[in-house]
Amino acid sequence: MSDHPTRQQALAAADLLGIRRGIEKESLRALPSGHLALTPHPLALGSALTHPHITTDYSESQLELITGVHAGVEACLAELREVHQFVYHALANEGDERLWVSSMPSSLPTDETIPIGRYGRSNVGRSKSVYRMGLAQRYGRRMQTISGIHYNWSLPGVTSEEYFGLIRNFRRHSFLLLYLFGASPALCSSFVDGRRHGLQLLNEGSYYMPHGTSLRMGRLGYQSDAQSSLAVSYNTLDSYAASLQDALTRPYPAYEQVGIRNPGGDYNQLSTSLLQIENEFYGTIRPKRVIEPGERPLHALRERGVEYVEVRCMDLDPFVDIGIAAQTMRFLDVFLLHCLYTDSPPDTPEEVLSLARNQHRVAERGREPGLMLECANGQCLGERPMVEWAASLLQQCEPMAAALDRAHGGTAYAEALAAARATLADPSSTPSARVLDAMHRGYGDSHLNFIRHKSEQTRQAIRALPFSAEQLARAEAQARESLVAQAAIEASDVLPFEEYRKQYLAPERMLA
């Protein structure tokens, strides 16, 4: 850190108050029994296509709740909580569904029965559904029912080059987040029915990894043999964009066999390329830019640069009513500043492979005593004890926590860092260990029964919070407006869908 006096001075600058953050939180709708709800997206919640705060992710049963952009941690959480309140209000009026509070899914039906998200008759709505059908063809529907929290983060004045430096360091060090906040060490057996998985049987309906932290981020989660062949470089915006454009335009033989349409004329997928669209590329963090209607994300990045980063490796915390705590968000602020303000050597293909292995080790064995991680960034070669590496990172985060506390007043950021140190020192205090302990103590080692109970507890807790008539009226009006907006989009369409699909996927649409 001493190599960068100007960066150190920047930590004391008032623009730390310019940090902006937002949350996207996914949760399945589930029945009291713990089975996946197979009902359509509730009409009372508005249009999943156009509502600014309530949509669906992969499945029609998988809600995604989105906050706006906030200068304060508490304000961000307050909005997320209010969106939850409206969702629970609507679900209570329509039946007894609740939000599943674990990242690993509820009891799932057969793969083909899991409903894919539907977004209406418009071209943009149909393309979203066809994209999801493509995901089902490529990876199966079960994998797409995993839920998580995405943390969107920006700092004023940061260039695209600096954001990519942040991203490289984040990828090197995100194992720490899996250890500290991973909360999916076990899962319902329905998720792995008919699959080779390597998990250990915990009871008749549950599998686990004894020292696992986040099975969601391990080999059973968002993984793909096809995508593992990608050598995406995070060294520059140009190299990143070129890597993605290649994957978005290169035909992939297995997907060519599936074809774009089936013999009956229905769509199987948007394209036969290795990636259908940019969002199909999985990763622990993404460079992002707000897009214009109809704009390709890659074009937006090339044209206007990186605007913020999207952290994608955070599990839902079943012990927190809305899935993430203020202290966790503050630690993420500290951690992201550390990634930004620390030297970030270029990545290499060898390091990229090493980081993937580290991710799997910590996801599946993160609390294992003596766990070693690979260190292959040119500054450190060989293996290093995970706990030692993590402790070093936390020590390096001290100036960031201190600077944030100076900017905001108080000691909340130092306390978040101290809590992380305490969790590193005591593996039994990690969310993943607490999940396994709670399952064992009160639920006969059943993941389904534990999360079912926590989901009901959470539903009751949020329903008991004050929710004024004014708040309800505002949320209902927003839902109605979204339905009107969807109808307007559908009425304005003139292109046949096939023409729309070809135009949207044209390679020149991705160029600046």
Side-chain angles (χ1 to χ4, degrees), residues 164-184:
F164 272 94
L166 180 161
I167 287 168
R168 291 194 300 276
N169 276 337
F170 183 95
R171 286 165 49 78
R172 289 172 179 127
H173 301 148
S174 58
F175 71 85
L176 178 59
L177 301 181
L178 301 189
Y179 173 87
L180 292 174
F181 305 113
S184 54

Side-chain angles (χ1 to χ4, degrees), residues 1-19:
M1 296 301 297
S2 59
D3 296 335
H4 296 286
T6 56
R7 290 183 170 187
Q8 283 282 41
Q9 290 161 12
L11 285 173
D15 67 3
L16 282 182
L17 294 173
I19 289 175

Side-chain angles (χ1 to χ4, degrees), residues 24 36 77 186 232 275 281 309 316 342 447:
E24 303 165 43
L36 183 70
L77 288 176
V232 174
L275 300 177
F281 178 55
V309 292
L316 304 184
T342 304
H447 182 262

Side-chain angles (χ1 to χ4, degrees), residues 36-114:
L36 183 70
L38 301 179
T39 48
H41 183 68
L43 189 64
L45 297 179
S47 164
L49 180 67
T50 57
H51 198 294
H53 300 296
I54 304 171
T55 182
T56 53
D57 191 69
Y58 170 77
S59 173
E60 188 76 353
S61 310
Q62 188 176 36
L63 289 175
E64 183 174 353
L65 310 183
I66 306 165
T67 72
V69 180
H70 291 274
V73 167
E74 298 294 349
C76 186
L77 288 176
E79 183 183 23
L80 184 61
R81 186 167 282 108
E82 187 169 335
V83 177
H84 275 79
Q85 288 179 272
F86 177 58
V87 168
Y88 278 108
H89 172 87
L91 293 181
N93 281 353
E94 297 199 5
D96 53 6
E97 294 176 4
R98 67 282 322 278
L99 299 184
W100 192 247
V101 300
S102 173
S103 279
M104 299 310 291
S106 55
S107 180
L108 296 175
T110 56
D111 203 69
E112 64 272 12
T113 313
I114 297 169

Side-chain angles (χ1 to χ4, degrees), residues 12 40 103 173 261 347 396 433 445 494:
S103 279
H173 301 148
R261 300 170 89 163
D347 60 32
Q396 293 168 35
D445 288 323
V494 291

Side-chain angles (χ1 to χ4, degrees), residues 153-154 157-164 167 236-238 240-241 286-292 295-309 510-512:
W153 188 91
S154 68
V158 176
T159 65
S160 292
E161 181 182 5
E162 290 168 330
Y163 273 126
F164 272 94
I167 287 168
T236 66
L237 174 53
D238 287 345
Y240 174 80
R286 283 179 183 163
K288 299 279 282 195
R289 159 69 62 176
V290 173
I291 61 173
E292 304 294 336
E295 185 181 26
R296 293 294 297 265
L298 204 48
H299 174 270
L301 280 175
R302 282 170 158 161
E303 180 88 1
R304 303 187 296 281
V306 182
E307 185 177 5
Y308 65 97
V309 292
M510 291 181 272
L511 301 174

